[in-house]
Amino acid sequence: MLASRRVVLQLVAASTILSTLPAIAPAIAADPAQLVQSTAQQVIDIVKTKTGAARQAAILGVLQSSFDMAAMGRSALGTHWNQATEAERTRFLKAVATAEAKAYSERFGQYGGQTLTVGKVTPRANGVMIVDSRLNQTSGQPIKLEWEVRNDRITDVKVEGVSMVMTRRSDFNSYIQNNGGKVEPLVRELETRAAQ
């Protein structure tokens, strides 16, 4: 059960961190439930059939096609986005995408038979739709996932009520504060992870 939850958290974190690349038009129509279902199925198929660099590239492709990476990246960097230079922002977006795609593609183990059940879709303010779902595991309790969808793109995922964008924001803010209050050390760290 912990391994399955870890895989889910890693996927969600990866998608949140890869919030860096320009948005690419999703392959899905405007149905938020279909977007979530299709995205989950694509990831399951990748984990079942690909390894190594091919898995990394495929996961990155799903993230680029289904998630609003630029908006998620700005949100994850928080107030530091406005303090960063244009060059730092560009490097941040590229480095975080590469580092996270690499890290999470390596961490996804074998497919464990998980399935996703999509539930109700609830409209919220500003064109946001919340898609409720459950990750059903072969053993253990289902994991509650809430997908935030705006403009036909996933903008956040909450795992058992915990926002992955806000988790990354906290992680990044802590790293920046512990390194002189500047974005540059975080960018260098992400670039190092990406290059390993």
Side-chain angles (χ1 to χ4, degrees):
M1 180 169 112
L2 289 176
S4 295
R5 189 174 298 241
R6 189 175 313 124
V7 168
V8 170
L9 290 173
Q10 290 168 349
L11 172 61
V12 172
S15 65
T16 301
I17 292 308
L18 291 175
S19 50
T20 60
L21 304 174
I24 296 174
I28 313 300
D31 179 1
Q34 180 59 36
L35 172 65
V36 168
Q37 187 68 55
S38 176
T39 300
Q41 190 58 53
Q42 288 174 29
V43 171
I44 289 170
D45 292 345
I46 290 165
V47 171
K48 286 169 51 175
T49 62
K50 298 186 183 309
T51 60
R55 179 181 284 177
Q56 179 179 336
I59 288 173
L60 181 58
V62 170
L63 294 170
Q64 291 173 328
S65 67
S66 299
F67 291 79
D68 187 344
M69 305 310 260
M72 294 170 73
R74 284 189 305 272
S75 184
L77 202 53
T79 59
H80 300 290
W81 180 264
N82 292 332
Q83 298 166 358
T85 67
E86 192 61 38
E88 286 173 331
R89 291 175 185 172
T90 300
R91 288 176 48 225
F92 166 77
L93 294 176
K94 180 179 179 185
V96 76
T98 305
E100 293 298 321
K102 183 176 194 273
Y104 292 109
S105 67
E106 290 172 354
R107 291 181 190 159
F108 289 136
Q110 298 175 4
Y111 174 66
Q114 298 90 350
T115 60
L116 187 77
T117 303
V118 175
K120 70 179 180 173
V121 177
T122 306
R124 298 269 170 90
N126 299 324
V128 172
M129 304 295 276
I130 302 299
V131 180
D132 291 329
S133 69
R134 297 219 176 262
L135 181 70
N136 305 303
Q137 305 177 84
T138 54
S139 62
Q141 295 294 318
I143 298 170
K144 182 181 190 289
L145 301 173
E146 264 185 23
W147 307 73
E148 181 181 295
V149 177
R150 179 179 303 162
N151 299 325
D152 301 330
R153 317 274 305 162
I154 298 167
T155 56
D156 195 8
V157 181
K158 291 181 180 176
V159 179
E160 297 290 345
V162 178
S163 163
M164 294 297 97
V165 169
M166 292 300 107
T167 298
R168 280 301 181 210
R169 178 185 276 190
S170 177
D171 293 346
F172 289 162
N173 186 56
S174 178
Y175 192 92
I176 290 167
Q177 294 308 314
N178 289 330
N179 288 277
K182 304 288 184 191
V183 173
E184 182 62 28
L186 173 64
V187 173
R188 283 194 311 263
E189 173 64 22
L190 292 169
E191 287 172 338
T192 299
R193 290 181 196 173
Q196 293 177 343

